[in-house]
Amino acid sequence: MNNAAPVIAPPLALPRRPARPRGRPRGNPPTRDTLVTAARSLFLEHGYRRTTLRAVAASAGVDMALIAYHFGSKKGLFAEVMRFQCATALTVDEVLGGDPATLPDRLIDAVTSLWEDAGFRALSTQGTPAAEAIGEYLESELLARLAEFLGGRDATARATAAVTVLGGLIHTRYLNPLPTPAALTPAEARRVLVPALRAALAPRARAAGPRRG
């Protein structure tokens, strides 16, 4: 008689459902532009305060951690949306790549074409994050690149003067409009401001040294 205990086969292991990956996905992840495009639409529809990272992630079809990986925070994401808008309309390479004699015209045309876009104007009025993003772009991209393009000992001073003129145009025509500047067409704004911008970009005369007797 066989008194050996019967062998009981272990239960079949059910296949485990793979967990949704978090953080940076492997393979072919969505690009930063995909996230920026989704965020731009939501910022325009709901505004900065009411747009959540969860909503942006859902719209882009990614895990919310991917936004933190690329942009750090909602403020960082919004700044990237603004930089993308600026870089698309105000293409510094194209502005600086033409005839130096007409550089003031191209700078004013680039600024007015950017701010005449209704979507960008809606984004530009969304409080402190918008103001900080615009200021950062003008300082780190336009002013720095313009100074490099101008060259010479007074390049930074000339670029600073030019960006100050353009900042005045932005402020008085779009951000905090005054009736007279706001009433100008882009062509009229160019005609009025080109002389001031040309003077700002002009090389500075060297100060005369002390006369010797």
Side-chain angles (χ1 to χ4, degrees):
M1 182 175 180
N2 187 0
N3 294 325
V7 178
I8 302 175
L12 294 176
L14 296 176
R16 298 184 64 182
R17 186 177 181 179
R20 184 180 182 184
R22 298 186 63 81
R24 185 179 184 183
R26 298 178 180 178
N28 186 23
T31 64
R32 288 170 62 95
D33 288 353
T34 302
L35 292 165
V36 169
T37 300
R40 180 183 182 275
S41 297
L42 291 173
F43 284 135
L44 283 173
E45 183 178 356
H46 302 294
Y48 177 81
R49 291 186 178 182
R50 291 187 297 163
T51 296
T52 66
L53 294 185
R54 189 180 301 277
V56 174
S59 178
V62 301
D63 191 282
M64 192 166 65
L66 184 61
I67 299 177
Y69 173 84
H70 281 299
F71 308 105
S73 64
K74 184 169 80 167
K75 183 178 179 180
L77 175 60
F78 184 81
E80 186 65 22
V81 170
M82 296 296 291
R83 281 193 292 269
F84 182 81
Q85 288 287 112
C86 288
T88 299
L90 206 165
T91 308
V92 177
D93 288 338
E94 293 181 4
V95 172
L96 300 181
D99 184 355
T102 56
L103 176 59
D105 303 74
R106 294 195 303 278
L107 283 167
I108 293 175
D109 285 345
V111 168
T112 54
S113 67
L114 173 62
W115 257 268
E116 292 295 322
D117 178 77
F120 182 80
R121 288 172 72 174
L123 291 171
S124 70
T125 58
Q126 296 191 25
T128 301
E132 290 179 352
I134 293 169
E136 181 182 346
Y137 183 84
L138 292 176
E139 173 76 20
S140 63
E141 182 64 17
L142 182 57
L143 193 155
R145 295 285 303 282
L146 185 56
E148 181 182 1
F149 171 80
L150 294 172
R153 60 180 180 80
D154 58 358
T156 299
R158 294 159 64 193
T160 300
V163 171
T164 300
V165 173
L166 296 173
L169 169 64
I170 293 167
H171 184 76
T172 60
R173 182 173 169 82
Y174 301 109
L175 296 182
N176 189 24
L178 299 177
T180 301
L184 297 174
T185 65
E188 290 169 340
R190 181 175 65 244
R191 176 177 56 80
V192 168
L193 289 177
V194 158
L197 195 53
R198 183 171 288 118
L201 290 167
R204 305 296 190 263
R206 288 182 177 273
R211 297 181 63 181
R212 296 182 179 180

